[in-house]
Every structure is written in structure tokens, then in C-alpha cells.
Amino acid sequence: MKLSLLRLSMAAALCCSMLTASAATTDHPATKYKIDLPPSADLSYAIQAKQSGITLGGEGSVKWLVEDKHFSVKSETRAMLFGKILESTSEGAIDSFGLAPTQFINKRFRKEATTTTFHRDSGTIGFSESGNSYPLKGGEQDRTSIIWQLISVARAAPQLFKPGSDWTFFVAGMHDAEPWTFKVIKTEKIKTPMGDLDVVHIFKAPPPDAKDQQLDIWLAPSLEWYPVRLRFTDPNKDFVEQTLQQVNNKASK
């Protein structure tokens, strides 16, 4: 059970999948899309997981806040009997590229928190867990902010966010960073605690040379494009799935 819980804590945060990043030599262009930020909201999720043959359940929450050209995202995951097993925070400014994180903090069950810093003054990304460094060119995200940047892009150009389209971003994790490409798969209807919803299914595969998690995301245009389901799947078919139970809009942007 302890091993399964640790694996769950590594996999079960919203927008924070632990996909292996490539070396610090990775180069990347600036990534600039039109954006339309969703309204601030508190979102509650039910979590189901299968890890090493054991079924686990829990709950998660996300607090998304946009205010005065700044943003913050706070995510927590709790497992039954164990309490909080994962929390992450991303915060920063909003610029012409969209979300411009300044700091990403990730805390896993029984692990020390890690900090990824976007040094806007020197134009570099640094990590508390490694000596890697990457240049800031514009549009870079962390593993919590990336979903909200993706949502903002979809809201700004829904007519372009169609099956077969690809959307690439440069994403920093806890140790390093790499390009992430999201592919729009299809539109479909899914059942949720909030009723049947029409959603856009998006897929993020691991890099071609890595055997790691894949990520599926379902965004609901009728609910401000908020993520209503996320599913992290390991190569051995173990998974963690988060389904939206409730959303409370806090304010308009």
C-alpha cells in the first residue's frame, strides 16, 4: 500500500504529470498564441486510481485565480486514510505570451518540496533539484500552469482547436524542461457528476524515446473550457483519473 500511495502521489496532481524531461541542452523557440484567460474558479475533483493492482480513491482541488495581470494555480490531492499526498503551486504574471510563471513549487508525499524559478530579470529557468538552466524566450510554462495556458489558447481560437491540430509548449518540471505537444483527438460526450457534458479530448504522449506516462485531458467549452477529466496512464496500464465534481466561479478576469 505504501508503494502504491507513493506512485499515486507522483501521478495524481492536476496539470502536474511526472513525464520525463530531456537534457538541459534542449533548445526551443518562443511560443506565442492568442489567449483568452478563463474566469477565476475553485474546482473539486474525485480521484480514482489503479496502482500495482490496488484500487485507490481520493479527492483533489484546484484554485485558479486571475487578478490584476497576475495569476496563481494551487492544486491539492488527498488520498483516503493518508490525507494530503501532493500539492503544487504556480504563480506569476500575465504578459503578451499569456501566463508567465515566476515560481513553481511541488510537494509530494514524504518528500521535500522542489522549486522551479523563472528568473525574469536574468532570462533563465532554474531548479532547486538540479543545476540545469534554460533561457526564457517567451511562452514557457511549468507543469501546473501549462493546462491553464492550453485552456486560454483554446478559448481564444476554438475554431482552430479542432481534431488533428497540434499545440506545442516548452514546459519546465522539477529538474529540467522539454517541449510538450498536445493533440486534439475528438469532440465527445462524457458522463460526470455534473451531468453529461460535450468535451474536447486532448492527448499528450510521452517523448518518442521515453517509456513514461501519457496524459489525456477533457475540456468542456460549456464550462469555460475548464478541465472536467484528466487521466494519467503508465506503460503498464496503471492509471490515475480525476473527474470534476463541482466548480465555483469566483470572479471574472
Side-chain angles (χ1 to χ4, degrees):
M1 175 64 78
K2 288 184 178 179
L3 177 59
S4 297
L5 182 63
L6 287 171
R7 294 187 66 193
L8 176 60
S9 73
M10 293 175 65
L14 181 63
C15 306
C16 196
S17 64
M18 307 306 170
L19 305 180
T20 302
S22 52
T25 55
T26 299
D27 194 15
H28 67 282
T31 303
K32 192 170 190 177
Y33 301 112
K34 289 179 60 178
I35 64 161
D36 177 16
L37 302 176
S40 301
D42 291 345
L43 300 96
S44 300
Y45 291 84
I47 295 175
Q48 292 183 320
K50 178 184 176 183
Q51 299 288 306
S52 301
I54 299 174
T55 300
L56 301 170
E59 59 185 20
S61 66
V62 176
K63 295 182 181 295
W64 159 251
L65 178 64
V66 181
E67 188 175 44
D68 298 329
K69 293 295 183 180
H70 287 79
F71 81 92
S72 66
V73 190
K74 297 182 179 180
S75 173
E76 289 188 2
T77 303
R78 295 178 176 273
M80 293 179 183
L81 303 180
F82 293 92
K84 188 186 301 183
I85 61 172
L86 182 58
E87 56 185 318
S88 67
T89 301
S90 173
E91 57 185 4
I94 299 167
D95 63 15
S96 62
F97 288 86
L99 303 186
T102 54
Q103 190 175 72
F104 166 53
I105 299 174
N106 191 71
K107 174 70 172 69
R108 302 201 326 244
F109 181 69
R110 294 181 178 173
K111 300 286 185 180
E112 294 295 325
T114 65
T115 301
T116 300
T117 305
F118 296 73
H119 300 283
R120 299 291 165 180
D121 52 349
S122 62
T124 59
I125 306 173
F127 308 85
S128 64
E129 292 296 291
S130 77
N132 292 333
S133 179
Y134 300 82
L136 281 171
K137 298 182 179 181
E140 293 85 359
Q141 302 298 317
D142 60 57
R143 295 188 178 192
T144 291
S145 70
I146 178 55
I147 298 299
W148 297 91
Q149 178 77 348
L150 181 68
I151 291 169
S152 300
V153 171
R155 285 168 55 88
Q159 72 281 5
L160 300 179
F161 219 78
K162 58 186 180 181
S165 62
D166 292 335
W167 305 84
T168 300
F169 305 84
F170 194 71
V171 180
M174 286 70 69
H175 308 274
D176 42 25
E178 67 173 352
W180 282 18
T181 298
F182 296 88
K183 179 180 288 292
V184 180
I185 303 300
K186 61 180 178 179
T187 57
E188 57 186 286
K189 187 183 292 288
I190 63 172
K191 294 183 180 296
T192 77
M194 301 181 67
D196 292 350
L197 294 172
D198 292 317
V199 296
V200 179
H201 182 188
I202 302 159
F203 178 70
K204 163 67 180 79
D209 59 346
K211 293 183 178 180
D212 217 310
Q213 284 182 335
Q214 67 183 44
L215 169 62
D216 290 86
I217 308 165
W218 289 263
L219 303 180
S222 65
L223 290 177
E224 305 288 2
W225 287 81
Y226 294 135
V228 295
R229 181 176 294 167
L230 297 99
R231 185 181 179 97
F232 307 89
T233 307
D234 293 331
N236 65 359
K237 304 305 180 182
D238 281 358
F239 69 89
V240 176
E241 185 169 285
Q242 302 178 193
T243 303
L244 186 65
Q245 291 185 303
Q246 184 177 1
V247 57
N248 179 23
N249 287 88
K250 307 296 289 184
S252 298
K253 59 182 185 298

